[in-house]
Amino acid sequence: MDYILFIATLVAIYSILTITMNILVGYIGILYLAHPAVYGVGAYTFAILAKGGTNYFLALLAAGAVATILGLIIAMPTLKLKSHYIGMSTLGFLIICHGLFINLKGITRGALGIPGIPRPTIFGETLNTNLSFFIFTIIITTVIGIILHRILHSPFSKTMEIIREDETAAKTLGKNIIKYKLQAFMITSFFGGIGGGLLASLLGYISPTNFNIDELVLILTMVIIGGMASFWGSIVGATIIILIPEALKFLDIAPALIGPLRYGIYGMLIILFMIYKPNGILGRRTNVFSK
Amino acid sequence: MTNILEIQGISKTFGGVHAVEQCSFSVKKNSITGLIGPNGAGKTTMFNLISGLLKSTEGSIHFKDQDITNFTAYKRARRGLARSYQAIRVFPEMTALDNIVVAFGNNKEGLFQAFTPFRRHQRRLECKAMKLLELVGLEEKAHLKAYELSYGQKKLLEILRAKANNAELILLDEPTAGINPTLIKKITTLIRQFQKEGHTILIVEHNMPFIMDLCETIIVMDRGHNIAEGKPKDIQSNKEVLEAYLGKSHA
Amino acid sequence: MEILPQILVISIIASAIYALIAAGLTLTFGTLEFINFAHGEIAMAGAFVFLYFFSDFGLGIFPALIVTTLIIAALGMFIERTTFRPVRDKQEFIPLVLSIGISILISAAVMLKFGGGSHTYAVANEMPTVYRIWNEAVIISQTQIVIILSSVVLISALFAFLKYSKTGKAIRAVSDNKQVAAILGINVNRTIVILFTIASGLAAIAGILIAFDQNLNPRMGLQLSIKAFAAIILGGVGKLHGAILGAIIIGFSENMIVGLTNIPSSYKSTIVFTIFIIVLIFKPYGIFGGNKEEVESR
C-alpha cells in the first residue's frame, strides 16, 4: 500500500513533467529534447537550497525560476533553426547540462549526487510518510494542473497550435511568433522546474543519472503514447509508462533482464505508435504529421 | 493619402536569380488593383515582399505613408495588411468558424488573458465571424472542420480570413484559381463589397476576363520589373504587355 | 608540447571513425530528409555481431567481417522496408522519433543477448602490436593504423562511387529531388534501399574497428549517433565533404581541447556540444550549408 502511494506520487509529478514537455513538443510543435536538463536544473536548485535551510516553498519557486532561465537560453537558438536542427541543438543542451551536473562537483557533488533532500514541514510536521507526501504533492500538482489546463484551453493555446500548423500563415495573420515561442518556453520551464523540485523531494536523492538521455527517452515516450497536444493524454502517457516496469515485476524475469526489457518495450511502443498511431492515445489529428 | 501602398525600386535576388528587379508602382487607396504578368514575372515574390515574408535586397515599401521596409511580417499584418495565399492555407483541423476567429486581432490570445473571462469575448467574436460566413452563404458549414469543405468553399474561407481583421489593404493571390464560373461571380461581388466597405484590394491573377472586369487599375510585371500601369483597356492594347505574354514575334 | 603529435594522431583516429559513421548518415539524411538516430546503434550492433562470430563462434577475422557486414546490411534493409518506408512522406517528426524508437530497440536487444557490460575482442594474453613513429614521439597501434587506412580507403571509394558509378549518380539524383529522379526513370525505392545498405555497412565496419581499438558496450551506439549528427549538421547535411569536415571538427575538438589544457576528459561531450551550438548560431545550416537565402532558392 505504501509503495502504491509512492508510485501514485511519481505519476502525479511525471504528469506535470509530461504536460509541460507536451506544450513545446505537441502544442507549439518544436522538437524539444532538453526537458530533463530543465527539470534537472530545477531538481538540483531545489535540493541545494532546501538542504541549505531555505523555506521549502521558496526553494520550489526558485527551482522554477532557475529552470526558466535555462529554458530561455535553450529557446534562443531554436528561434532561428529548423526542425531537425532544433532537435539536435536541444539534445546538445541536454548533453551539456548532464556534463555540467557531473563536472561541477563543487555545486552538484558530481556523480556522487545529492542525498538527504528534505520533505516539507507543515505546521511542525515533517511529511516523511508516503501518504502525507502523496497528499501534499497531489494538492500542488492539481493546482499546477488547473493552471496549465486553463492555459491549454484558451485562445493563447489556439494560437500556439496555429503556429505549429502553419507558421507562415500565422505570421501574416498578425501573430508574433517569437513572443509565443518564448512564452511557451517559459511556462514549460517554470512548471517543469517545480516538478523537478518535487521529484527531488520525493526521491530524497538525485544524481546526474536521473537527468540523462535515458530520462529523455522516458519522458518522450510518455508524450508520444499519451498524445501530442493533449492535456489528459499526457497524464495517461505518464501513468502507463510508469506502470510498465511495475507490471514487469509480476512476471518472473531475472533482475538483470528487467532493465533492457523495459528499454526494449519503450522502443517497441515508440515504433508501433509512430507507424500506426502517431497521435497517441488521446491526441488529435495534427498537421505536425502530414506534409 | 492617395496611395495606400508605394513600392519604390524594390529588388530581390535569390542566389543568382533576380526574381524582382528595380520594381516600382503604387496602389491607390480604396481601389481594386490588379497585378498581372506571365509566369515567372515575380508576382508571387512581390506579394511575399509586400507582406513581409521576404526581405528585399534593395528598395523601399511605404504603407499608409509609413516606411515598413524593415517591419517583420506580423507587424505589417497588425498595421492592416492582410493576404490570402494561392495554395490555400486555411487550418484544416479547425472549424470554418474558428479559422475566421483566429484572424481577429483583439482575440484575447495573450498568455495572461487566459486567466480572464475570455469565453464571453470569444462568443462575440464568433458572432462577428458568423456574419462573415453569411456573406458567402457558408453559415451552415461553420462548425465543420475546414478539411471537410470543398475546394471552392476553402477558397472563400481563405478570402474571408483576409478581410476578417478589417485590414486596410488586402492582398489576394490568385483567388479564382481552379474555381467554377458561378463561384467566380460570387467572388467578384464579394470583392466589390469589400471595396464599398473601405478596403483596398490588390489582386494577383491569371484569369484575364475576371481581372479586366473587376479592376480599375492594372499593373503588369515581366521578368521582375513592372512594364506597364494603367486602365484595363489601355493595358489590353499595350504593345509591351502583348510582347511579354505572347513573345516578340507575335506582337 | 611533446604530447602534441600524440594528440594529433588520436584526433585523426577519432575523426576517421566519426567520418565513417557520418558519411553514411549524411547520405541517408539527404534522401530521407530526417536524421536517423538508429545509425549509431547499427554501428554498435555490427560490433557485437562481429564479436559473436569472431569470439564466440570462432570464425577467422575476414569470414567474421564478411558475415557481419552482410547481416548488418540486411538489418539496414529490413529496417528501411518495414519501418521507415511507411512513414517516409510524413513530416520530419515521425521518422525522427521512429528512429529513436528503433535505436532503443536495437540497444535493448543487444543488451538482452550480450549483457550490459563491456566486452572486448582481445584474444587472451596477446599483446597488441604497437609502433613508435615520428622520432618516438607517437605510439600508435596496428589496429589504429588499420582504422585510419580503412577510413581513408572506404570514404575515397564512396566519393568515387557517388561520382562515377551509375548507382552512385542515381543516389545523388534521388538525394536532390525524389520526384524528378522518378520521372527520369530511376527506381527510387531500390536506390534508397541500396543507399541504406551501404550506409549500414559502413557503420558496421566503423563499429567493428572501434571495438578492436577500445572496449565496447551496448550504450555506445547512442553516443556515436549523437556525435555523428553533430558532425553532419556542423558540416552541412546531405553533403559528403560536409560530413568529413564535421567529423574532423568533432574528432579534433574532443581531443585537442582536453589533451592540451587542464580540462578533465569528462568534459569532452560538453565541449563538443558547446562548440556545436555556437557554430549553429552563426551558421544555422551548417558550415557548408549556405545561408537562409541560398536555402530558400533551392
Side-chain angles (χ1 to χ4, degrees), chain A residues 31 82-89, chain C residues 29 33-35 92 96 233 237:
Chain A
L31 188 55
K82 300 220 75 227
S83 57
H84 11 254
Y85 297 80
I86 292 182
M88 275 307 296
S89 83
Chain C
F29 176 88
E33 284 158 53
F34 74 91
I35 296 186
E92 299 100 25
L96 203 145
I233 288 183
V237 289

Tab-separated table of all heavy atoms in Angstrom, chain A residues 31 82-89, chain C residues 29 33-35 92 96 233 237:
chain	number	residue	atom	x	y	z
A	31	LEU	N	10.710	20.298	-31.791
A	31	LEU	CA	11.341	19.046	-31.368
A	31	LEU	C	12.284	19.340	-30.217
A	31	LEU	O	13.495	19.490	-30.381
A	31	LEU	CB	12.098	18.404	-32.533
A	31	LEU	CG	12.620	17.001	-32.241
A	31	LEU	CD1	11.492	16.092	-31.784
A	31	LEU	CD2	13.297	16.428	-33.461
A	82	LYS	N	15.705	25.315	-37.999
A	82	LYS	CA	14.625	24.482	-38.494
A	82	LYS	C	14.577	23.160	-37.744
A	82	LYS	O	15.519	22.813	-37.048
A	82	LYS	CB	14.834	24.221	-39.991
A	82	LYS	CG	14.846	25.461	-40.809
A	82	LYS	CD	14.107	25.268	-42.127
A	82	LYS	CE	12.616	25.271	-41.856
A	82	LYS	NZ	11.874	24.204	-42.488
A	83	SER	N	13.522	22.393	-37.992
A	83	SER	CA	13.176	21.294	-37.087
A	83	SER	C	14.272	20.347	-36.644
A	83	SER	O	14.527	20.226	-35.454
A	83	SER	CB	12.015	20.499	-37.639
A	83	SER	OG	12.347	20.037	-38.915
A	84	HIS	N	14.952	19.591	-37.569
A	84	HIS	CA	15.893	18.624	-37.006
A	84	HIS	C	17.079	19.308	-36.355
A	84	HIS	O	17.702	18.756	-35.451
A	84	HIS	CB	16.412	17.601	-38.017
A	84	HIS	CG	16.067	17.929	-39.417
A	84	HIS	ND1	15.094	17.255	-40.107
A	84	HIS	CD2	16.550	18.879	-40.227
A	84	HIS	CE1	15.026	17.768	-41.311
A	84	HIS	NE2	15.880	18.742	-41.420
A	85	TYR	N	17.367	20.532	-36.794
A	85	TYR	CA	18.443	21.263	-36.155
A	85	TYR	C	18.044	21.632	-34.732
A	85	TYR	O	18.860	21.632	-33.821
A	85	TYR	CB	18.758	22.525	-36.945
A	85	TYR	CG	19.255	22.231	-38.338
A	85	TYR	CD1	18.377	21.910	-39.357
A	85	TYR	CD2	20.605	22.261	-38.616
A	85	TYR	CE1	18.839	21.628	-40.623
A	85	TYR	CE2	21.075	22.001	-39.882
A	85	TYR	CZ	20.182	21.681	-40.881
A	85	TYR	OH	20.641	21.400	-42.132
A	86	ILE	N	16.760	21.960	-34.556
A	86	ILE	CA	16.278	22.263	-33.215
A	86	ILE	C	16.411	21.019	-32.344
A	86	ILE	O	16.828	21.095	-31.188
A	86	ILE	CB	14.800	22.711	-33.263
A	86	ILE	CG1	14.705	24.055	-33.960
A	86	ILE	CG2	14.214	22.781	-31.873
A	86	ILE	CD1	13.294	24.599	-34.022
A	87	GLY	N	16.060	19.864	-32.934
A	87	GLY	CA	16.195	18.616	-32.182
A	87	GLY	C	17.618	18.421	-31.715
A	87	GLY	O	17.880	18.123	-30.552
A	88	MET	N	18.558	18.618	-32.628
A	88	MET	CA	19.962	18.426	-32.252
A	88	MET	C	20.453	19.469	-31.278
A	88	MET	O	21.224	19.153	-30.373
A	88	MET	CB	20.845	18.460	-33.508
A	88	MET	CG	20.938	17.138	-34.205
A	88	MET	SD	21.432	15.814	-33.103
A	88	MET	CE	23.061	16.358	-32.670
A	89	SER	N	20.019	20.707	-31.455
A	89	SER	CA	20.556	21.723	-30.542
A	89	SER	C	20.002	21.517	-29.144
A	89	SER	O	20.719	21.654	-28.146
A	89	SER	CB	20.294	23.142	-31.053
A	89	SER	OG	19.000	23.578	-30.712
C	29	PHE	N	20.432	11.024	-44.731
C	29	PHE	CA	19.692	12.250	-44.445
C	29	PHE	C	19.289	12.923	-45.741
C	29	PHE	O	18.172	13.395	-45.899
C	29	PHE	CB	20.513	13.228	-43.613
C	29	PHE	CG	19.777	14.511	-43.419
C	29	PHE	CD1	18.912	14.660	-42.366
C	29	PHE	CD2	19.890	15.538	-44.333
C	29	PHE	CE1	18.186	15.817	-42.205
C	29	PHE	CE2	19.161	16.710	-44.179
C	29	PHE	CZ	18.313	16.843	-43.114
C	33	GLU	N	15.524	12.785	-45.721
C	33	GLU	CA	15.154	14.053	-45.125
C	33	GLU	C	14.825	13.976	-43.649
C	33	GLU	O	13.985	14.696	-43.139
C	33	GLU	CB	13.988	14.686	-45.882
C	33	GLU	CG	14.440	15.287	-47.186
C	33	GLU	CD	13.293	15.421	-48.149
C	33	GLU	OE1	12.288	16.014	-47.731
C	33	GLU	OE2	13.403	14.923	-49.279
C	34	PHE	N	15.449	13.058	-42.942
C	34	PHE	CA	15.364	13.140	-41.500
C	34	PHE	C	16.651	12.527	-40.960
C	34	PHE	O	17.347	11.809	-41.647
C	34	PHE	CB	14.153	12.395	-40.947
C	34	PHE	CG	14.304	10.903	-40.980
C	34	PHE	CD1	14.831	10.217	-39.904
C	34	PHE	CD2	13.920	10.187	-42.090
C	34	PHE	CE1	14.965	8.844	-39.939
C	34	PHE	CE2	14.050	8.825	-42.133
C	34	PHE	CZ	14.587	8.138	-41.060
C	35	ILE	N	16.949	12.834	-39.722
C	35	ILE	CA	18.177	12.335	-39.124
C	35	ILE	C	17.899	10.991	-38.482
C	35	ILE	O	17.036	10.873	-37.611
C	35	ILE	CB	18.714	13.333	-38.092
C	35	ILE	CG1	19.075	14.618	-38.814
C	35	ILE	CG2	19.935	12.767	-37.404
C	35	ILE	CD1	19.743	15.633	-37.930
C	92	GLU	N	8.974	15.584	-40.686
C	92	GLU	CA	10.183	15.087	-40.031
C	92	GLU	C	9.971	14.429	-38.681
C	92	GLU	O	10.691	13.523	-38.306
C	92	GLU	CB	11.184	16.234	-39.844
C	92	GLU	CG	11.650	16.876	-41.112
C	92	GLU	CD	10.908	18.164	-41.383
C	92	GLU	OE1	10.422	18.766	-40.414
C	92	GLU	OE2	10.826	18.553	-42.544
C	96	LEU	N	11.847	10.737	-37.405
C	96	LEU	CA	12.904	11.011	-36.464
C	96	LEU	C	12.634	10.317	-35.140
C	96	LEU	O	13.497	9.621	-34.599
C	96	LEU	CB	13.006	12.531	-36.259
C	96	LEU	CG	14.323	13.058	-35.773
C	96	LEU	CD1	14.559	14.413	-36.405
C	96	LEU	CD2	14.338	13.187	-34.281
C	233	ILE	N	25.647	17.917	-39.127
C	233	ILE	CA	24.981	19.217	-39.079
C	233	ILE	C	26.004	20.330	-39.141
C	233	ILE	O	25.807	21.331	-39.821
C	233	ILE	CB	24.108	19.325	-37.822
C	233	ILE	CG1	22.893	18.430	-38.002
C	233	ILE	CG2	23.695	20.757	-37.579
C	233	ILE	CD1	21.933	18.492	-36.868
C	237	VAL	N	24.201	19.302	-43.759
C	237	VAL	CA	23.665	17.964	-44.005
C	237	VAL	C	23.537	17.656	-45.478
C	237	VAL	O	23.354	18.544	-46.304
C	237	VAL	CB	22.278	17.786	-43.354
C	237	VAL	CG1	22.419	17.707	-41.862
C	237	VAL	CG2	21.355	18.908	-43.749
